Amino acid sequence: MTTPVISVAYHSGFGHTAVVAEAVRAGALDAGAEVHLIKVDEITDEQWAVLDRSDAVVFGSPTYMGTASGAFHVFAEATSKRWATQAWNGKLAAGFTNSASKSGDKLHTLQFFQILAAQLGMHWVSLGLLPGWNSTTGSENDLNRLGVFAGAAAQTNADEGPEAVHKADIATAEHLGRRVTETARVFLRGQAAA
């Protein structure tokens, strides 16, 4: 069986998004992937090489002022070298974000990731979950409690630290890691058969 290589390329300003990145990593490991966590504001040439050999790249950033953080935008612009050579064309991509507000315009951050992935020729992997916590029988502990389809979304109060990232959001991010790994495995089998 082929082992997918998954890289989680993320920025975390205050540690909340790092918790979500770790959850994506845990889910991907649980599904049998080789996983690399890459802090994009500290990226090295060796880590760029890891991204280049990855089967999937999961983008992550806090949502600041309605979009990904400045540090993530710097990384995104640096991927233009990969765009020019189409080095990531055909890879899988997915994304996650965290903000203090329930909405906080997180969708815009995920859409930014989707457009970045599309420009790089990547295939987007959605969350693949129905929304939780949207009925009288639902609860804030449901998977996908914020009802986002494009990727994993988390909400943490602005006056609380990383330890306060909601358990349901962590579980949702773990789900995303497993889904990306399972999708990568299918893609790899298809490439081997072709």
Side-chain angles (χ1 to χ4, degrees):
M1 181 162 65
T2 305
T3 301
V5 179
I6 312 296
S7 286
V8 181
Y10 75 99
H11 173 249
S12 184
F14 299 99
H16 305 92
T17 308
V19 170
V20 183
E22 287 285 354
V24 173
R25 177 183 175 274
L29 281 172
D30 182 57
E34 172 188 329
V35 189
H36 302 273
L37 282 180
I38 297 173
K39 296 179 180 180
V40 299
D41 55 332
E42 301 173 2
I43 194 165
T44 64
D45 289 342
E46 292 78 16
Q47 289 172 322
W48 278 110
V50 168
L51 289 171
D52 291 343
R53 72 176 182 84
S54 295
D55 300 303
V57 180
V58 184
F59 301 125
S61 169
T63 295
Y64 293 154
M65 303 306 292
T67 189
S69 66
F72 192 91
H73 276 267
V74 169
F75 163 77
E77 287 183 24
T79 66
S80 64
K81 292 178 182 175
R82 274 67 190 167
W83 171 82
T85 61
Q86 290 296 284
W88 293 2
N89 193 322
K91 292 182 184 294
L92 299 178
F96 62 92
T97 187
N98 181 81
S99 72
S101 298
K102 295 285 191 282
S103 170
D105 294 318
K106 286 188 263 292
L107 178 59
H108 185 262
T109 300
L110 292 170
Q111 289 171 329
F112 169 73
F113 294 157
Q114 288 176 314
I115 292 169
L116 174 64
Q119 289 180 337
L120 291 163
M122 303 171 84
H123 303 286
W124 189 258
V125 179
S126 68
L127 186 57
L129 286 174
L130 292 172
W133 200 21
N134 67 353
S135 69
T136 57
T137 59
S139 120
E140 70 173 301
N141 298 310
D142 292 343
L143 284 180
N144 196 18
R145 71 185 182 109
L146 299 176
V148 176
F149 294 92
Q155 180 274 327
T156 312
N157 293 330
D159 58 351
E160 292 186 293
E163 71 285 348
V165 175
H166 200 286
K167 300 286 189 246
D169 297 342
I170 291 171
T172 300
E174 289 170 348
H175 168 85
L176 180 65
R178 286 189 296 274
R179 180 171 167 86
V180 169
T181 300
E182 291 160 2
T183 304
R185 189 171 284 115
V186 169
F187 263 62
L188 290 170
R189 285 182 184 149
Q191 287 172 341

